[in-house]
Amino acid sequence: MEYLNNKKIAFLTEMDFQGKIPENHPNFRTEFAWMYALNADHSNIHSYNTISNYDVVFVIFPKAITKLNSVGAELIYNGPNKDISIYETPIINILKNNNNKICIIQEGPTWLFNDYDIHTQFNYYNQLSEANYIFAHNEYDVHFYKGLFPQTKINTIPTLMITNDKICPPQTNNIIKDNKVIIGGNFARWYGGFQSYLVANEFDCPIYVPSSHCKRPGEDKVPNLHHLPWVLWSNWMQQLSSFKYAVNLMPTIAAGTFSANCAYFGIPCIGNEKVDTQNVLFPDLSIDINDIFHARQLASQLLNDNDFYDHCSHYSKTKIKNTVYANIDMWLTHMGNILNP
């Protein structure tokens, strides 16, 4: 942690705003939490030429929009912030010439770049190969990047929740849990909502799902499925706090914020064992997401065994307070130990 004191840090992403993240920011999803914890300056990634004299620069490359078919994908232009032709420019080398340490943060699953055309796949690889550090979402992802880049320093950048009372409901036993279950995402390959929905039916109660860009036509007609509007993070946490159960059979191995958010309120969540937040906070509910049979068994056990439910709820709610996922000092110590030369 000491290494990060008084360090000048920048973040470059596809987002258009410039400046720092205030402590009352209403949309503290994980990348905003990282920037806040590091007191970092944010700029759009296309401003890379103006970034100089920083001790550490974190880069999150934009994800392209793709249109899948059975054997691959077609890139779809979706505005300047999704234009991955930026991979053709040696921005990492330019940043290294003007700053001290350059870190690339994983965006999306490790395999995402495989959907790009061959030229772009190599450009993406070349950008990552020039970085001083690569930060992955999970230990599972670290092994992937270590295989691609044996000489690069590769570690995790854990999901982080900012839980101050200005933006997050308190972690209290007074929150009334309604008899309802939330699934982690819509009926798309990315989220695995169909499988989560089938398992959630084991609870025999209303099923809810957030609405996202992955919401499919016809989802509104699925029996006993209620869609929550897409809201800012602080409103999302308020909505989430009242749920009793959660199912997140999301095959995409990503940052794991859903499991962490559920753990904060002690909502038992059945989910992907390869996601660090799920595995650490819900060890008894972490499964191979293709093991739907086991997922159904766990849902039935949570429903019918009060002691098991209370154990999973209490463990997650207590555990998260002493992890990097909700403790800024622990998170900064983790990052400082990695970045300290």
Side-chain angles (χ1 to χ4, degrees):
M1 181 176 177
E2 287 77 11
Y3 170 78
L4 295 172
N5 289 338
N6 302 315
K7 288 292 186 290
K8 189 178 178 186
I9 298 173
F11 262 73
L12 297 179
T13 79
E14 66 185 40
M15 295 181 285
D16 285 328
F17 75 93
Q18 186 157 353
K20 297 185 184 293
I21 306 298
E23 66 174 348
N24 61 345
H25 196 283
N27 197 28
F28 257 123
R29 63 191 196 188
T30 195
E31 69 267 44
F32 288 89
W34 293 335
M35 288 183 261
Y36 170 76
L38 293 166
N39 192 32
D41 298 318
H42 176 271
S43 295
N44 182 273
I45 193 168
H46 293 280
S47 302
Y48 61 88
N49 269 320
T50 68
I51 306 302
S52 62
N53 300 316
Y54 281 93
D55 298 295
V56 186
V57 178
F58 291 93
V59 180
I60 303 179
F61 280 106
K63 299 192 298 283
I65 301 298
T66 59
K67 179 181 179 181
L68 288 176
N69 60 41
S70 60
V71 295
E74 172 190 355
L75 297 181
I76 300 173
Y77 184 71
N78 194 40
N81 289 341
K82 297 293 185 183
D83 180 7
I84 58 172
S85 64
I86 192 172
Y87 295 153
E88 298 180 6
T89 304
I91 71 170
I92 299 303
N93 275 329
I94 293 171
L95 288 167
K96 285 170 70 175
N97 289 334
N98 297 322
N99 303 276
N100 188 9
K101 296 178 179 180
I102 309 302
C103 311
I104 292 179
I105 297 177
Q106 175 186 352
E107 170 69 338
T110 55
W111 48 259
L112 186 70
F113 77 104
N114 293 146
D115 283 336
Y116 300 160
D117 58 62
I118 300 300
H119 179 71
T120 307
Q121 288 186 47
F122 278 97
N123 282 337
Y124 177 80
Y125 174 89
N126 291 337
Q127 294 284 2
L128 268 62
S129 70
E130 296 295 339
N132 302 115
Y133 297 81
I134 296 174
F135 282 98
H137 292 315
N138 303 282
E139 289 295 339
Y140 180 85
D141 304 309
V142 167
H143 295 291
F144 176 87
Y145 290 111
K146 280 186 175 180
L148 293 186
F149 309 104
Q151 307 307 316
T152 304
K153 296 175 182 177
I154 299 170
N155 289 277
T156 58
I157 180 168
T159 284
L160 177 63
M161 294 173 53
I162 305 300
T163 59
N164 68 58
D165 56 11
K166 290 183 173 65
I167 49 93
C168 186
Q171 193 187 45
T172 173
N173 294 324
N174 297 327
I175 296 177
I176 298 174
K177 296 285 198 306
D178 297 330
N179 189 37
K180 57 186 181 180
V181 55
I182 187 164
I183 63 176
N186 298 111
F187 283 44
R189 173 186 172 189
W190 188 281
Y191 285 111
F194 190 98
Q195 299 91 300
S196 295
Y197 168 77
L198 292 181
V199 172
N201 272 286
E202 294 289 325
F203 294 109
D204 193 26
C205 65
I207 301 171
Y208 288 77
V209 61
S211 298
S212 75
H213 66 287
C214 289
K215 182 179 177 182
R216 306 296 291 276
E219 272 192 39
D220 291 321
K221 298 179 180 179
V222 176
N224 191 31
L225 184 65
H226 310 275
H227 287 80
L228 298 171
W230 190 259
V231 294
L232 297 180
W233 187 83
S234 55
N235 300 118
W236 155 248
M237 291 296 284
Q238 190 70 51
Q239 291 178 345
L240 181 65
S241 65
S242 64
F243 281 86
K244 188 172 183 179
Y245 311 102
V247 181
N248 188 31
L249 300 183
M250 179 176 174
T252 305
I253 303 168
T257 54
F258 185 85
S259 297
N261 294 167
C262 288
Y264 179 76
F265 295 117
I267 304 166
C269 179
I270 301 169
N272 192 335
E273 65 187 359
K274 292 181 174 64
V275 176
D276 288 353
T277 55
Q278 175 70 31
N279 213 14
V280 169
L281 301 171
F282 296 105
D284 298 313
L285 300 175
S286 298
I287 61 167
D288 182 325
I289 48 85
N290 292 314
D291 189 356
I292 309 299
F293 178 75
H294 191 193
R296 284 185 180 273
Q297 288 182 317
L298 288 172
S300 178
Q301 189 174 0
L302 286 170
L303 178 64
N304 297 303
D305 185 340
N306 290 334
D307 289 340
F308 181 64
Y309 178 94
D310 291 341
H311 161 71
C312 293
S313 175
H314 178 75
Y315 180 89
S316 64
K317 190 174 180 179
T318 304
K319 179 73 173 179
I320 194 170
K321 292 185 291 187
N322 297 303
T323 67
V324 291
Y325 310 128
N327 185 310
I328 290 182
D329 288 341
M330 291 181 67
W331 188 88
L332 287 171
T333 297
H334 169 88
M335 296 299 291
N337 288 341
I338 294 168
L339 293 168
N340 189 18

